[in-house]
Amino acid sequence: MCGIVGYIGQRNATDVVVGGLQRLEYRGYDSAGIAIFSEGAGLQLRRSVGKLGSLVARLAQEPAAGQTGIGHTRWATHGGVTEANAHPHRDASGEIVVIQNGIVENYLELKGRLVEAGHTFVSQTDTEVIAHLVGHHYAQAGSLEAAMRLTMAELRGGNAVVAMSVREPGTLVAARLGNAGGVVIGVGEGETFIASDIPAILDYTRDLIFLEDRDIAVLTSAGARISRLSGEAVTRSPVQISWDPVSAAKGDYKHFMQKEIAEQPRALTDALRGRIDQEAGQVFLDDLHLDDAALRRVGRIYATACGTAWHAGLVAKFMIERLARVHVEVDYASEFRYREPVLGGDALLLAISQSGETADTLAAMEEAQAQGVPSVAIVNAIGSQAARVADGGPLYLHAGPEIGVASTKAFTSMLAASYLFALRLAQARGALTPAQIRPHLQALIELPGKVAEVLETAGPICVELAERYQHASNALFLGRQANYPIALEGALKLKEISYIHAEGYPAGEMKHGPVALIDERLPVICIAPRDGIYEKMLSNIEQVRARGGQVIAIGSPGDALLAEKADHVISVPLTLPLLQPILTVIPLQLLAYEVAVRRGCDVDQPRNLAKSVTVE
């Protein structure tokens, strides 16, 4: 969702804010804007439609300088992509500016009331309503903090808001309401930062404070004072983050997605680090707050997630049910709470999210909490809302920043984390003995090296396949069992970044509809490693061949039979069946990337998408 950055200190705020926005452009790039204040020049507002480069060009022609400022990159929710709709937005007086991440669910009601009171609006956005409300309340409350407090009390929805006023130089006020995107405050020496995501400010400070739901913060160059919207003071010590900002740069790679695909061996290693004891045959998940007794009480798990994380949840279902023998249901988080789920006293919610800020996933966690059901969050972003809300504890991926909108290393890390969780559950419940767990730990340890092998061998083949199939209009992905979700994920990756229509299906369902699509123009990607349902996949491949489809197979090394039946084969090393998806998905990521590059698509920032979806 939208990116937010703010600064107060001795530096030129324009440089800090624009630099931070560049690190957050993956969160929104329909338009961008900044508001900078200085005693001499007053309030300087610069906005531009398009990616951040358009704003940078605007600033080159119309510079803005000062020591206090806020900035925003937008992913449109209300109103079209126009300069008038770009943030920051002013109040009626023009002396207060506001940026927001989220949706004001009752903005039409609020706007109608303000119009009746004589306010004139110049945009179609819900955020302008917030600016006018802050200005309206400022006249009576007498301070930006009090005006923000009154404004937030009137909003419905998930909102992260930062406001600045010319009447209070050197001050920013920020507030968080509901499941809006993250708000992180950075504390430096004589300077203070605020952003919607950590990488935006890591160049300047590692001491961070995270705003919680219904927090309000007053920022000056001396630091931040935090209270609840109800008025109670809050003492919250900074957390020190160790991420190196250099890791968020592309380095020698052409795209962040390319870099993140290549980082998967390292990301998987970090996901395993410190969590396994081969000798003892045990898994240690120290972040979890559930002991063996609590895990033994779990009789049913509800996995909730969105997009790529939902595919990870589907794979996790196979892992947990096979290894721990606990029933798992997988729900789209966006549907979960609306079906009024009956969870039961022995339930556990498993929330999966890269950002930990996905609004629907957070809402599912709230529903579980309301029913007295504990939740565990498989999450990448340290200190994110999901990690803090999960009363069963977070299970961090430790994959590092993932900038490309299309998730790659976070997805495979989610699968590794899910496997660890399944083993931990099996260990606590006695479903597996230490002797039985050891082969699984060995396979996990070998996994990063096997991923590196796939990257090396599959890369050149995917380049050739991309050259051949870059002009395809459609594609079909087929898989069975734990590789069925990988078919879904492969199709999603191709759709997301190359804009080719693609569908993923369980291979056994092909003849119940999708077979009608197959002709000589359709590439059909079949995931067919030598596993327990290998022969079934071969039968499906024969059905595709009989109708002239072009078969691209993901198979096992030395499979001569598969080579006879498929037009193209990409081999991946064998591992335990439930870990095979981590290897079979790698060629699909590479293929989608190479096709998108050849079609001239914006790989890291595909149209209409944002990295973190913090609204419904």
Side-chain angles (χ1 to χ4, degrees), residues 585-607:
V585 76
I586 305 295
L588 307 187
Q589 296 172 348
L590 290 167
L591 181 61
Y593 172 78
E594 297 295 349
V595 169
V597 168
R598 279 151 186 78
R599 288 169 66 92
C601 301
D602 191 336
V603 173
D604 287 332
Q605 298 172 355
R607 67 190 182 202

Side-chain angles (χ1 to χ4, degrees), residues 245-322:
V246 175
S247 68
K250 285 196 287 280
D252 294 333
Y253 293 96
K254 186 176 181 181
H255 300 97
F256 279 112
M257 183 179 179
Q258 182 188 33
K259 174 178 180 280
E260 288 153 7
I261 290 173
E263 286 176 337
Q264 286 175 109
R266 191 272 307 157
L268 289 167
T269 300
D270 288 346
L272 302 176
R273 198 183 305 277
R275 288 172 164 170
I276 60 177
D277 184 334
Q278 281 184 284
E279 188 174 347
Q282 289 185 314
V283 171
F284 300 96
L285 301 179
D286 294 336
D287 291 337
L288 293 189
H289 305 154
L290 302 175
D291 59 15
D292 284 1
L295 293 173
R296 282 194 291 270
R297 286 194 294 270
V298 175
R300 180 181 299 266
I301 293 174
Y302 295 86
T304 62
C306 301
T308 283
W310 184 74
H311 299 156
L314 291 174
V315 179
K317 173 182 172 71
F318 284 96
M319 294 173 173
I320 294 169
E321 291 191 342
R322 295 242 189 112

Side-chain angles (χ1 to χ4, degrees), residues 59-102:
L59 286 166
Q61 296 178 341
E62 301 175 57
Q67 295 176 325
T68 305
I70 58 176
H72 187 274
T73 58
R74 180 174 184 249
W75 185 49
T77 55
H78 291 79
V81 181
T82 65
E83 185 171 320
N85 287 334
H87 298 215
H89 288 284
R90 298 177 188 256
D91 76 320
S93 72
E95 295 182 335
I96 295 172
V97 285
V98 165
I99 54 179
Q100 188 226 172
N101 182 10

Side-chain angles (χ1 to χ4, degrees), residues 83-396:
E83 185 171 320
N85 287 334
H87 298 215
H89 288 284
R90 298 177 188 256
D91 76 320
S93 72
E95 295 182 335
I96 295 172
V97 285
V98 165
I99 54 179
Q100 188 226 172
N101 182 10
I103 288 179
V104 181
E105 293 179 356
N106 59 332
Y107 94 101
L108 286 176
E109 171 193 330
L110 295 171
K111 185 174 183 178
R113 197 184 77 205
L114 288 164
V115 168
E116 286 182 6
H119 288 252
T120 300
F121 289 82
V122 297
S123 79
Q124 304 165 304
T125 70
D126 55 343
T127 302
E128 191 182 5
V129 170
I130 299 176
H132 280 253
L133 277 174
V134 173
H136 170 74
H137 288 304
Y138 197 103
Q140 296 144 353
S143 75
L144 190 58
E145 178 186 2
M148 179 76 92
R149 204 180 294 278
L150 291 169
T151 296
M152 299 303 287
E154 296 193 66
L155 304 184
R156 289 204 312 268
N159 313 102
V161 183
V162 183
M164 180 172 73
S165 172
V166 299
R167 304 170 203 172
E168 299 181 28
T171 299
L172 299 178
V173 178
R176 178 171 185 166
L177 182 67
N179 296 327
V183 181
V184 57
I185 297 169
V187 180
E189 292 187 10
E191 55 186 2
T192 306
F193 310 78
I194 190 165
S196 52
D197 208 352
I198 295 171
I201 55 180
L202 276 185
D203 280 335
Y204 304 102
T205 181
R206 306 293 175 85
D207 294 325
L208 307 180
I209 300 171
F210 298 92
L211 285 195
E212 305 282 356
D213 177 20
R214 305 192 66 79
D215 272 356
I216 185 167
V218 178
L219 281 65
T220 66
S221 60
R225 175 173 52 82
I226 301 173
S227 61
R228 304 293 286 165
L229 288 177
S230 59
E232 311 149 50
V234 174
T235 300
R236 192 166 295 137
S237 300
V239 176
Q240 195 164 66
I241 299 296
S242 60
W243 279 357
D244 182 349
V246 175
S247 68
K250 285 196 287 280
D252 294 333
Y253 293 96
K254 186 176 181 181
H255 300 97
F256 279 112
M257 183 179 179
Q258 182 188 33
K259 174 178 180 280
E260 288 153 7
I261 290 173
E263 286 176 337
Q264 286 175 109
R266 191 272 307 157
L268 289 167
T269 300
D270 288 346
L272 302 176
R273 198 183 305 277
R275 288 172 164 170
I276 60 177
D277 184 334
Q278 281 184 284
E279 188 174 347
Q282 289 185 314
V283 171
F284 300 96
L285 301 179
D286 294 336
D287 291 337
L288 293 189
H289 305 154
L290 302 175
D291 59 15
D292 284 1
L295 293 173
R296 282 194 291 270
R297 286 194 294 270
V298 175
R300 180 181 299 266
I301 293 174
Y302 295 86
T304 62
C306 301
T308 283
W310 184 74
H311 299 156
L314 291 174
V315 179
K317 173 182 172 71
F318 284 96
M319 294 173 173
I320 294 169
E321 291 191 342
R322 295 242 189 112
L323 298 175
R325 308 307 297 163
V326 177
H327 178 74
V328 180
E329 293 186 23
V330 185
D331 275 86
Y332 281 113
S334 57
E335 296 293 329
F336 181 75
R337 59 174 163 159
Y338 295 112
R339 69 174 176 86
E340 299 182 9
V342 181
L343 303 183
D346 64 346
L348 174 72
L349 186 86
L350 185 63
I352 308 176
S353 171
Q354 188 283 136
S355 68
E357 303 291 349
T358 305
D360 289 318
T361 303
L362 292 172
M365 296 175 75
E366 289 180 358
E367 176 64 31
Q369 190 174 53
Q371 295 194 35
V373 170
S375 60
V376 169
I378 294 179
V379 63
N380 190 37
I382 297 170
S384 61
Q385 180 83 339
R388 300 195 301 276
V389 168
D391 46 8
L395 178 46
Y396 282 124

